[in-house]
Amino acid sequence: MRVLVIGGAGYIGSHAVRKLIEKGNDVVVLDSLYTGHRKVVDKKAKFYQGDIEDTNLVSKILRDENIDAVMHFAAY
């Protein structure tokens, strides 16, 4: 499964990303880095820096990355 994790550079989101990858999922992360940290995102995850309010970016990610599921951990 290909999962988009919004807020995947935060504390809880980064742990979810790690577990999803351990279970064999392909993971895409969208995070604005307002409170998250790029260095905690697993290197196996594809990373986009941007805001969830950017509907064009979110639409592009959903379309281009063939996302099957979305997990939302963004706090800001």
Side-chain angles (χ1 to χ4, degrees):
M1 184 181 310
R2 194 142 175 92
V3 183
L4 172 60
V5 179
I6 300 170
Y11 179 76
I12 296 171
S14 64
H15 286 280
V17 167
R18 199 169 317 125
K19 283 294 184 188
L20 286 164
I21 290 171
E22 284 177 11
K23 297 291 183 183
N25 295 285
D26 293 321
V27 179
V28 177
V29 172
L30 171 62
D31 201 294
S32 64
L33 300 180
Y34 291 138
T35 59
H37 304 279
R38 175 66 176 100
K39 65 183 176 189
V40 301
V41 178
D42 192 296
K43 290 177 179 27
K44 294 178 185 169
K46 185 164 184 182
F47 180 79
Y48 288 88
Q49 183 174 347
D51 196 295
I52 191 172
E53 291 183 346
D54 184 344
T55 56
N56 290 327
L57 175 60
V58 174
S59 294
K60 177 180 175 17
I61 293 169
L62 292 171
R63 183 180 54 253
D64 293 352
E65 298 293 342
N66 297 314
I67 300 298
D68 298 306
V70 176
M71 297 178 77
H72 186 285
F73 297 103
Y76 182 72

